[in-house]
Amino acid sequence: MLVDKKILLEHFKKVGKKCQLEELKKTFEIKGEEELKKFHQAMKTLEYDGDLYLDEKGFYHIFDEKIPLRQGIIHINRSGAGFVNIVDNGKKISYLIEGKDLNGALPQDLVIISPRKKQFLGHQLAIVEKVLKRDNILEIFEYQGNGVFTPYEVLSNFKVKSSYVKDLVPQSLVLMDVGIEPEYIDDELYFNGEVKRVIGHRDDPKVDEKAVCLKYGFDPKFSPQIMKAVNSIPNHVLDEELEGRIDLRDKMIFTIDGKDTKDMDDAISIEKDGDDYILSVHIADVSHYLLQHPILIDEVIRRGNSAYIADSVVPMLPHKMSNGICSLNPGEDRLTKTVEMRFNKYGELVDFDIYKSVIKSCKKMNYDDVNAILEQGIIPNGYECFVMDLLEMCKLSDLLTKSRHQKGCMVLDDVELKIYTDIFGNPIKIKRCEQKTAEKLIENFMIMANMVVTENYGYLEQPFIYRVHEAPDLVKLQATLQIIKDSGVVDLDIMEQLLSKIEKLRTNHLDIKPIDLQPLLLAAKEQGNLTAISNLLLRSMKKAIYSAENIGHFGLAEEDYSHFTSPIRRAADAINHILIDFHLQMMEATTDAEVMAVQEKINQFNCLKKVCQHISEREVAAFETEKEVEEIKTLEYVAANIDDYMGPLEAQVCLANKFGMNILVDSNIRAIIDSGDLSTTGFNYMRDSHTYVRRSSQDKFKIGTRMYVFDPEVSVQHRCIYYHTPMTKDEYRDSFQEKPKKLIKSVNVKRA
């Protein structure tokens, strides 16, 4: 008898008792291998969904309030403490699991916890009873000898045994899949693991970067099958590939990127027709090569995107494509798709065309040189004949910026660092990334090209991948804005008006518009608190994702948006290029047979929902990879230059809570001041205003407050820098005559 999870759950509710598997198999007359497989899958799903609970004696129960246990995803911080957040009867409860009570849980595992009566710092304590389901991301472990492994650079008291120890020496790092069934050996708890890959020794150059990349699924190596397909692609554009393309090789087309960029997938050109601007954005036609080798399409989807770590990249496509035939290198014929847009003198889009083309870039420009021209009037050698075009582009970009601002496009400030390393992976320089005129120009032009492509192809009756961003949850946003209001960091009238508006929107079940947040962001920028406010707002915002359904993009204040301009480094863009190719083939089809052939190709992409979910997850994985490597390299840099960071250095409070304060040191380095250190220096936490107030005076530390810090402690295991001695501005003026140090300069960054 075929059963599904609905039938099984109804049976449990009806009989009202616990059951074992054998009893259930007899009841439902489960026979045959296929039936048994589906039965076990249904039972596992009910367990994972929290409908059934499997006890240690092998009985399944209805998972309800009669069972004094809870189920949820565990988050584990660098100090080894776990947190499980559960909504119980509409109320959010945060459970804290101490390291000794994790019972072998790893970050993001699905666990069963047993709440305890004790509380600590506002969290109810709990114990992990069992790991129900491992997160599918592999973890890094360090070999300790004798077949024993421990988690790498995460404080934990559990161990893993594995039979694979060939060629391993102590402190070798491996990528491991850990089972969920532990065993006791000499009264110690061990989990069984399967070594998937040996990464290297912890003292090897760049081993930490390699380990993090592999942990999140970014492998710099490609399979022999992939390389065989790539190596069959010519190194230059063939004459027969030019058929049906508009030849733009005589146009003044150029790229603008970072000095060390090698995967250039966008180029630009501009002309004037009276008062009108004719802007053309030329994008590498990666799909031309992908369609010749379907195995490459599968690889692009599997990888999802490139990962940019420190000053290197793990590419989505092999270098022969990403840096070679697909990259718009100067002086080389390259196949492209061109988005040609006509704007009037007010910067309004009045016409556009999208077509296949061939270009030959005249120059590889870099942001520093272009900014020298646009901001300082300095013309570097080799740029003389491009100055007029750049100035016209700058005028158009200013018009587009104004238009985006009027629509309500959100402009948040988030700290980005550029880390430079030597050949051994040691960080030798860190700079803060800044978006200047040239970077803004490229961002404006790429956003416009993405919008035009979406408006043109998004309404056709065929699959398409959209870049969507939901409006924030008003309850979360309201709580965040209340924190900002209570801290007094932004004008009270602005905050009261905004909170009043949100209350009305909630009452009428309406969404907030991004333009409603502009007064807050403008005020924060004027007062020098945009970084701190942005940090808080981002916590209450939903993430932008990929979707087969168009629901608009909140952050950009656009109803139609997709990704098209980076097909070398993003799967979504590459797939959209393929779908556009299919549409163009459909337009050119002259017989029913040709139409049906193209339709069959399109039908392969009719179920994009899973693809969108996967590449959205890969985007998050890339972010976590880049963030983790940045944390490691920042710690190494500060540790190697500890004398410079002893202070005094200026810092700004980004977040204050009962655990302490998150601060930004020297406008770049993220650090923490623990609540215990604040208490030692006379500060108490005031929960209502999210402020630390000194008992003996009116000194306050709150969101946006600038202070001075001394005596850092670098903790590699916690992946954090602690400062123990904060000082107010008045205290600093009374104690020091010299100005504080300024260690890290700025570098430009393109935000795609």
Side-chain angles (χ1 to χ4, degrees):
M1 176 182 176
L2 285 174
V3 294
D4 57 21
K5 63 178 186 177
K6 183 179 179 181
I7 293 172
L8 287 166
L9 188 57
E10 287 177 350
H11 171 76
F12 273 90
K13 290 178 179 178
K14 183 178 179 180
V15 299
K17 64 172 186 154
K18 58 186 179 182
C19 302
Q20 290 184 311
L21 277 181
E22 290 302 319
E23 180 184 349
L24 290 169
K25 283 192 280 188
K26 289 179 182 179
T27 301
F28 290 100
E29 300 178 349
I30 304 297
K31 297 177 181 178
E33 193 172 316
E34 188 63 27
E35 279 191 21
L36 187 62
K37 181 180 177 182
K38 291 183 177 180
F39 168 72
H40 282 298
Q41 285 178 342
M43 291 299 292
K44 273 295 180 188
T45 301
L46 287 170
E47 190 180 4
Y48 293 158
D49 289 346
D51 294 312
L52 296 181
Y53 169 65
L54 175 63
D55 66 24
E56 56 188 12
K57 295 182 179 179
F59 284 93
Y60 284 90
H61 310 245
I62 290 284
F63 205 150
D64 56 18
E65 63 276 0
K66 296 177 183 177
I67 297 177
L69 302 171
R70 296 293 180 266
Q71 178 175 315
I73 301 294
I74 191 165
H75 307 275
I76 301 175
N77 63 24
R78 292 293 170 189
S79 64
F83 294 88
V84 176
N85 297 316
I86 294 172
V87 177
D88 198 349
N89 294 321
K91 183 181 179 182
K92 181 179 176 182
I93 302 176
S94 179
Y95 292 95
L96 169 64
I97 298 94
E98 296 177 286
K100 61 183 178 60
D101 297 324
L102 286 174
N103 200 13
L106 289 169
Q108 308 304 313
D109 284 350
L110 181 63
V111 297
I112 300 289
I113 61 173
S114 174
R116 299 167 62 189
K117 294 181 179 180
K118 295 181 179 179
Q119 286 198 349
F120 180 73
L121 291 176
H123 295 277
Q124 185 168 341
L125 292 174
I127 299 171
V128 173
E129 290 292 333
K130 69 175 178 177
V131 176
L132 193 60
K133 184 181 180 183
R134 289 283 185 204
D135 181 52
N136 57 11
I137 296 177
L138 301 175
E139 290 290 335
I140 307 165
F141 285 78
E142 182 176 323
Y143 184 51
Q144 303 298 324
N146 299 319
V148 177
F149 300 78
T150 57
Y152 176 57
E153 289 196 346
V154 175
L155 291 177
S156 180
N157 65 342
F158 86 97
K159 299 176 182 178
V160 177
K161 292 280 281 187
S162 175
S163 58
Y164 184 94
V165 294
K166 182 182 178 182
D167 300 327
L168 292 183
V169 297
Q171 295 188 319
S172 293
L173 303 185
V174 301
L175 203 64
M176 183 176 281
D177 186 359
V178 182
I180 62 174
E181 296 296 333
E183 60 178 321
Y184 282 92
I185 302 176
D186 297 330
D187 294 327
E188 279 199 88
L189 190 65
Y190 289 88
F191 286 80
N192 293 304
E194 180 183 356
V195 175
K196 294 294 186 179
R197 184 162 177 172
V198 178
I199 300 170
H201 193 273
R202 70 177 300 156
D203 294 333
D204 291 344
K206 295 194 173 185
V207 71
D208 46 9
E209 294 177 32
K210 185 179 178 182
V212 173
C213 288
L214 290 173
K215 169 185 171 181
Y216 289 102
F218 292 98
D219 191 344
K221 294 183 179 179
F222 290 84
S223 70
Q225 295 85 351
I226 294 298
M227 294 311 301
K228 181 180 179 180
V230 170
N231 288 331
S232 69
I233 296 173
N235 292 320
H236 60 278
V237 173
L238 306 179
D239 290 341
E240 56 264 32
E241 294 177 307
L242 304 182
E243 185 179 350
R245 292 179 180 271
I246 295 179
D247 193 340
L248 303 175
R249 287 176 289 185
D250 62 341
K251 299 288 186 182
M252 190 173 283
I253 296 171
F254 47 83
T255 61
I256 306 177
D257 286 283
K259 288 181 179 179
D260 54 354
T261 300
K262 296 181 177 65
D263 51 351
M264 296 171 287
D265 45 18
D266 58 87
I268 54 177
S269 58
I270 198 166
E271 297 176 26
K272 284 298 294 290
D273 183 10
D275 289 335
D276 287 358
Y277 300 90
I278 301 175
L279 171 71
S280 294
V281 175
H282 316 276
I283 304 300
D285 195 357
V286 178
S287 60
H288 172 83
Y289 301 101
L290 297 180
L291 286 168
Q292 296 174 20
H293 303 281
I295 190 175
L296 295 181
I297 299 176
D298 295 338
E299 182 73 355
V300 162
I301 293 173
R302 185 183 73 82
R303 287 180 175 256
N305 42 252
S306 301
Y308 292 82
I309 53 169
D311 51 1
S312 62
V313 59
V314 180
M316 182 178 74
L317 292 165
H319 289 303
K320 182 177 178 181
M321 295 181 71
S322 63
N323 296 2
I325 190 63
C326 293
S327 183
L328 307 183
N329 301 325
E332 301 283 348
D333 291 353
R334 288 292 182 259
L335 304 181
T336 49
K337 288 188 178 77
T338 292
V339 183
E340 184 180 303
M341 298 167 280
R342 179 182 286 267
F343 299 89
N344 64 21
K345 63 181 180 181
Y346 304 109
E348 298 168 337
L349 182 69
V350 295
D351 197 11
F352 67 86
D353 194 10
I354 304 170
Y355 51 85
K356 290 189 175 184
S357 55
V358 57
I359 70 166
K360 181 185 286 187
S361 173
C362 299
K363 187 172 182 63
K364 177 188 176 182
M365 299 185 186
N366 65 73
Y367 291 121
D368 290 342
D369 288 346
V370 175
N371 280 320
I373 295 170
L374 300 179
E375 297 181 355
Q376 303 171 46
I378 299 172
I379 303 174
N381 291 335
Y383 281 81
E384 291 81 3
C385 62
F386 299 98
V387 172
M388 293 308 298
D389 281 3
L390 287 170
L391 292 175
E392 293 296 342
M393 287 178 173
C394 187
K395 291 176 186 176
L396 176 58
S397 178
D398 288 343
L399 292 171
L400 296 177
T401 296
K402 182 179 179 182
S403 175
R404 291 178 63 199
H405 179 77
Q406 289 172 343
K407 285 183 178 180
C409 175
M410 292 183 64
V411 181
L412 297 175
D413 183 41
D414 192 20
V415 176
E416 295 181 32
L417 298 180
K418 176 67 174 176
I419 300 174
Y420 301 85
T421 62
D422 61 21
I423 59 173
F424 302 107
N426 300 314
I428 54 177
K429 183 168 60 175
I430 296 181
K431 289 186 177 181
R432 178 185 170 94
C433 297
E434 285 187 346
Q435 194 177 41
K436 295 185 178 179
T437 304
E439 292 81 9
K440 193 68 178 177
L441 180 150
I442 291 296
E443 181 183 58
N444 281 333
F445 292 174
M446 296 306 117
I447 287 175
M448 282 305 308
N450 286 334
M451 287 168 52
V452 165
V453 166
T454 312
E455 290 178 10
N456 189 58
Y457 292 104
Y459 287 101
L460 300 175
E461 293 184 0
Q462 71 175 53
F464 207 68
I465 293 180
Y466 299 92
R467 182 65 168 176
V468 301
H469 185 208
E470 287 187 80
D473 178 270
L474 289 181
V475 175
K476 287 186 178 179
L477 181 60
Q478 195 171 31
T480 298
L481 294 175
Q482 189 63 50
I483 291 174
I484 297 172
K485 177 191 172 185
D486 293 341
S487 68
V489 71
V490 174
D491 184 83
L492 187 61
D493 289 340
I494 292 175
M495 297 310 304
E496 287 182 344
Q497 290 175 21
L498 185 51
L499 284 165
S500 176
K501 184 160 196 171
I502 289 179
E503 189 58 40
K504 290 178 182 177
L505 291 171
R506 283 184 60 191
T507 303
N508 295 298
H509 305 288
L510 298 173
D511 285 331
I512 191 171
K513 303 295 182 186
I515 199 168
D516 296 329
L517 295 172
Q518 271 194 358
L520 166 61
L521 295 173
L522 288 172
K525 185 175 182 179
E526 289 173 2
Q527 297 168 15
N529 295 320
L530 185 57
T531 299
I533 297 302
S534 296
N535 184 64
L536 280 173
L537 285 177
L538 284 169
R539 292 167 177 260
S540 64
M541 297 284 174
K542 297 180 180 178
K543 293 184 181 296
I545 60 170
Y546 295 109
S547 172
E549 301 294 330
N550 185 16
I551 61 171
H553 196 294
F554 175 81
L556 292 175
E558 294 293 343
E559 294 181 3
D560 304 289
Y561 197 68
S562 67
H563 275 165
F564 168 81
T565 55
S566 295
I568 291 176
R569 63 185 182 88
R570 290 192 304 227
D573 307 54
I575 296 169
N576 280 339
H577 274 248
I578 291 171
L579 295 171
I580 289 170
D581 285 339
F582 291 160
H583 173 71
L584 295 174
Q585 291 175 22
M586 185 72 78
M587 297 291 287
E588 295 168 358
T590 57
T591 66
D592 289 345
E594 289 176 343
V595 170
M596 289 182 64
V598 178
Q599 190 59 53
E600 285 183 9
K601 296 178 184 177
I602 295 174
N603 289 343
Q604 297 175 19
F605 289 88
N606 271 334
C607 187
L608 279 179
K609 186 176 180 180
K610 286 187 177 180
V611 172
C612 290
Q613 181 179 350
H614 171 72
I615 61 178
S616 295
E617 290 170 354
R618 294 306 299 150
E619 181 182 46
V620 173
F623 172 79
E624 293 296 335
T625 302
E626 293 162 6
K627 177 184 173 185
E628 194 162 332
V629 171
E630 181 184 294
E631 286 176 348
I632 293 170
K633 295 304 171 189
T634 301
L635 288 169
E636 291 177 352
Y637 182 82
V638 174
N641 299 274
I642 194 68
D643 289 343
D644 291 335
Y645 284 90
M646 292 303 290
L649 289 173
E650 187 177 75
Q652 185 177 28
V653 180
C654 292
L655 179 68
N657 57 33
K658 59 192 173 187
F659 300 109
M661 298 190 303
N662 292 353
I663 60 175
L664 202 60
V665 180
D666 195 34
S667 301
N668 302 275
I669 305 297
R670 298 186 186 277
I672 286 176
I673 302 177
D674 189 83
S675 59
D677 290 318
L678 288 164
S679 178
T680 301
T681 53
F683 286 90
N684 285 338
Y685 179 64
M686 310 303 292
R687 186 169 184 173
D688 292 341
S689 60
H690 305 277
T691 302
Y692 278 89
V693 179
R694 180 168 271 158
R695 294 184 289 272
S696 60
S697 67
Q698 294 302 308
D699 291 338
K700 295 180 180 179
F701 289 143
K702 59 184 180 180
I703 299 163
T705 297
R706 295 185 184 276
M707 64 173 71
Y708 297 93
V709 291
F710 304 80
D711 306 327
E713 176 191 346
V714 178
S715 174
V716 176
Q717 282 196 313
H718 291 185
R719 295 274 168 82
C720 191
I721 299 166
Y722 294 94
Y723 273 93
H724 302 290
T725 315
M727 182 179 283
T728 67
K729 280 192 170 185
D730 289 340
E731 288 175 321
Y732 179 81
R733 280 195 297 266
D734 293 341
S735 303
F736 294 91
Q737 299 299 319
E738 73 273 16
K739 291 183 178 180
K741 298 176 183 178
K742 190 70 177 174
L743 300 177
I744 298 179
K745 298 179 181 179
S746 296
V747 67
N748 305 332
V749 62
K750 168 189 170 184
R751 292 176 180 167

